């Protein structure tokens, strides 16, 4: 497979799968989704092999060269994000297959086994598959896009798909979905206004051409401010995060996993592209990353405190996402100062967070099925009732806190190491304090597993397949401890440190 073929395949596989899932309807959507997920993983690893072997891969869409045409580019950073999306997306698909009632024949006829999620008989549940695969394809296209307008198009597709996924929960999530939609549209409006300003001044939207032509001026700085603010809204960075906990907390478990693990990473990726690549050469360009780092520090602390105050498990996990996104923002001023290892740490943290947070939301889905609620203090004895889920939750929590031997530990260690090199002791303090807050609220929830349950607690068997999917992603979060050097080699394709 050539590099251009691999790029096209990575984008077309989930999009074709989305159309096929829509056409096959309720009976075939899950099978199409699982097959598409497997092909998506193969396509992502095939592209990664091409990038490692031959460097950055490019393909011109439609045969028109830039600036008239669209060029797709796969460098190390884009490829790393594609791999993360493929692996975590496949795990989410396996979980969703059982969550939405598409279980094996035996379990469907065992009335004592809870399918974890809503029954597959719901008239809209099968729509998860085409919308989920559309979101996956939009993510892949976003990471590979080489111009600002194509990035806008893919960002819009991703946002609309995410809102539709939240709305699958029904009337109870309508308010959260509407709030999500309004803020997604606000972020898109701010972003496209900035794009229009740049195009008016430089007559190109291609990132490489724009970087060469970019000249400091009021319009450029205004464009940078508008685009960055729009992305901060979409990424739910503190203090623009208030739409995220309701949306993630009220969505079905596989949707919460997808939103928290993957969708919010798109905004971080674009912020990194803007300030480490496009605007990085402007005079005083280091000021904006410092501001982003300050917002990240606020996110780590505020998100951690709010998570500690939550009484429901899904709300706690959602606020934890706000905190974890802060670590990625902290890496931007360090990378902008050309500190070796900062972006390597950020990408490793993004991947370990994606695996651990997806696993944690899946565990919440299993606990909700077993107990009928997600009140933390009432989830007593789930270590005995759901040992697989308890193990997955423990491994995910260890990675999120940053304890060895996990990917979260390696990522946080690399971030602290980069901060020490840059004499950014404030970042070191925030990382350590944020880790303590994470330990407080995560281990409080985990402690419920070892409390003896009351004798009258209802006994409900939860299907094994979704629990194993959660455990698999938790193990991925742990296995990322070995991904440091391979990731460093991959990120070197494109010069990311």
């Amino acid at each position: 497979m050539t590099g251009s073929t691999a790029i096209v395949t990575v984008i077309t596989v989930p999009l074709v799968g989305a159309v096929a899932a829509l056409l096959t309807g309720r009976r075939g959507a899950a099978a199409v989704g699982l097959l598409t997920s497997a092909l998506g993983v193969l396509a992502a690893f095939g592209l990664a092999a091409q990038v490692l072997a031959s460097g950055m891969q490019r393909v011109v869409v439609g045969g028109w060269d830039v600036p008239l045409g669209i060029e797709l580019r796969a460098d190390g950073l884009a490829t790393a994000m594609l791999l993360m999306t493929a692996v975590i997306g496949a795990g989410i698909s396996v979980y969703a297959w059982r969550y939405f009632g598409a279980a094996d024949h035996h379990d469907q006829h065992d009335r004592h086994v809870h399918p974890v999620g809503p029954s597959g008989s719901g008239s809209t549940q099968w729509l998860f598959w085409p919308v989920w695969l559309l979101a996956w394809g939009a993510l892949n296209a976003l990471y590979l896009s080489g111009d600002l307008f194509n990035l806008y198009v893919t960002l819009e597709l991703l946002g609309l798909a995410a809102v539709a996924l939240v709305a699958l929960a029904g009337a109870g999530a309508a308010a959260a979905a509407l709030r999500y939609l309004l803020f997604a549209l606000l972020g898109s409006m701010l972003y496209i206004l900035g794009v229009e300003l740049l195009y008016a001044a430089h007559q190109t939207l291609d990132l490489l051409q724009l970087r060469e032509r970019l000249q400091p001026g009021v319009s450029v700085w205004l464009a940078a401010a508008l685009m960055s603010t729009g992305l901060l809204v979409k990424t739910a960075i503190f203090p623009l995060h208030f739409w995220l906990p309701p949306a993630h907390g009220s969505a079905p478990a596989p949707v919460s996993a997808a939103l928290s693990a993957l969708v919010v990473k798109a905004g971080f990726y674009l912020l990194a592209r803007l300030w480490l690549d496009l605007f990085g050469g402007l005079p005083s360009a280091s000021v904006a990353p410092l501001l982003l780092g300050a917002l990240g520090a606020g996110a780590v602390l505020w998100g951690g405190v709010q998570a500690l105050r939550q009484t429901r498990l899904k709300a706690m996990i959602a606020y934890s996402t706000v905190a974890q996104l802060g670590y990625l923002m902290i890496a931007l001023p360090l990378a902008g100062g050309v500190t070796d290892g900062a972006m390597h740490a950020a990408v490793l943290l993004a991947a370990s967070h994606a695996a651990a947070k997806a696993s944690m939301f899946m565990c919440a889905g299993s606990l909700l099925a077993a107990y009928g609620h997600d009140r933390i203090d009432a989830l007593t004895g789930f270590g005995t009732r759901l040992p697989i889920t308890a193990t997955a939750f423990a491994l995910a929590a260890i990675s999120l806190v940053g304890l060895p031997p996990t990917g979260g530990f390696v990522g946080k260690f690399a971030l602290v190491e980069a901060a020490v090199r840059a004499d950014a002791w404030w970042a070191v303090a925030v990382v350590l304090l944020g880790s303590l807050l994470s330990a407080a609220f995560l281990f409080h929830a985990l402690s419920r597993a070892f409390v003896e349950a009351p004798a009258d607690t209802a006994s409900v068997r939860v299907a094994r397949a979704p629990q194993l999917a959660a455990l698999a992603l938790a193990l991925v979060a742990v296995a990322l401890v070995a991904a440091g050097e391979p990731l460093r080699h991959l990120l070197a394709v494109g010069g990311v440190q």
Side-chain angles (χ1 to χ4, degrees), residues 16-324:
V16 171
V19 175
L22 186 63
L23 293 177
T24 55
R26 290 171 56 184
R27 294 192 176 186
V32 170
L34 291 175
L35 176 61
T36 303
S37 299
L39 295 176
V41 172
L42 293 176
F45 275 94
L47 178 57
Q50 288 289 332
V51 171
L52 285 171
S54 306
M56 181 186 293
Q57 302 296 307
R58 306 185 183 198
V59 59
V60 177
V61 179
W64 292 88
D65 291 331
V66 294
L68 294 178
I70 296 174
E71 187 175 66
L72 303 175
R73 306 185 184 106
D75 63 0
L77 178 58
T79 305
M81 301 301 285
L82 288 170
L83 288 173
M84 178 190 74
T85 302
V87 173
I88 307 305
I92 291 171
S93 293
V94 172
Y95 182 87
W97 162 66
R98 189 62 180 93
Y99 181 93
F100 289 116
D104 58 74
H105 185 269
H106 172 76
D107 282 354
Q108 286 283 359
H109 289 80
D110 187 346
R111 60 187 178 92
H112 300 292
V113 179
H114 198 291
V116 175
S119 171
S121 62
S123 60
T124 62
Q125 298 301 336
W126 67 271
L127 288 174
F128 167 83
W129 293 103
V131 179
W132 158 233
L133 295 175
L134 175 63
W136 189 337
L139 272 170
N140 288 356
L142 184 146
Y143 294 138
L144 294 169
S145 295
D147 70 277
L148 292 177
F149 184 74
N150 206 41
L151 287 170
Y152 166 75
V153 173
T154 56
L155 198 61
E156 279 297 275
L157 286 175
L158 178 62
L160 293 175
V163 171
L165 287 171
V166 174
L168 288 177
L178 181 59
R179 186 183 295 112
Y180 191 171
L181 176 62
L182 293 176
F183 278 96
L185 293 176
L186 173 62
S188 298
M189 181 184 69
L190 294 174
Y191 178 87
I192 197 62
L193 285 175
V195 172
E196 291 170 355
L197 286 173
L198 290 178
Y199 184 75
H202 302 90
Q203 288 75 54
T204 184
L205 293 176
D206 182 76
L207 287 171
L208 296 181
Q209 287 191 349
L210 196 55
R211 182 175 61 182
E212 295 174 356
R213 301 181 187 181
L214 207 61
Q215 296 295 328
V218 175
S219 63
V220 171
W221 285 113
L222 180 58
L226 288 169
M227 295 168 71
S228 298
T229 304
L231 292 173
L232 288 173
V233 171
K234 282 182 168 290
T235 314
I237 298 300
F238 173 85
L240 304 173
H241 67 285
F242 36 82
W243 62 263
L244 185 149
H248 291 201
S250 61
V255 173
S256 299
L259 296 178
S260 183
L262 301 176
V263 173
V264 294
K265 303 299 191 306
F268 160 73
Y269 172 82
L270 292 183
L271 285 169
R273 285 294 191 195
L274 290 181
W275 287 107
L276 302 182
D277 191 4
L278 181 59
F279 299 125
L282 294 176
S284 304
S286 61
V287 175
L290 282 174
L291 178 58
L292 295 176
L295 294 177
V300 170
L301 302 179
W302 176 259
V305 170
Q306 291 302 310
L308 191 58
R309 297 178 59 191
Q310 300 307 305
T311 59
R312 294 187 177 274
L313 185 61
K314 289 192 71 175
M316 183 203 77
I317 300 171
Y319 273 105
S320 171
T321 298
V322 175
Q324 295 293 324

Side-chain angles (χ1 to χ4, degrees), residues 318-376:
Y319 273 105
S320 171
T321 298
V322 175
Q324 295 293 324
L325 288 172
Y327 294 112
L328 307 185
M329 294 296 109
I330 289 173
L332 292 182
L334 303 178
V338 199
T339 303
D340 289 347
M343 278 305 294
H344 172 259
V347 175
L348 192 52
L349 278 173
S352 59
H353 168 260
K357 190 55 62 72
S359 173
M360 200 162 279
F361 269 117
M362 293 175 182
C363 292
S366 296
L367 290 170
L368 185 61
Y371 287 82
H373 63 82
D374 67 341
R375 296 189 303 276
I376 296 174

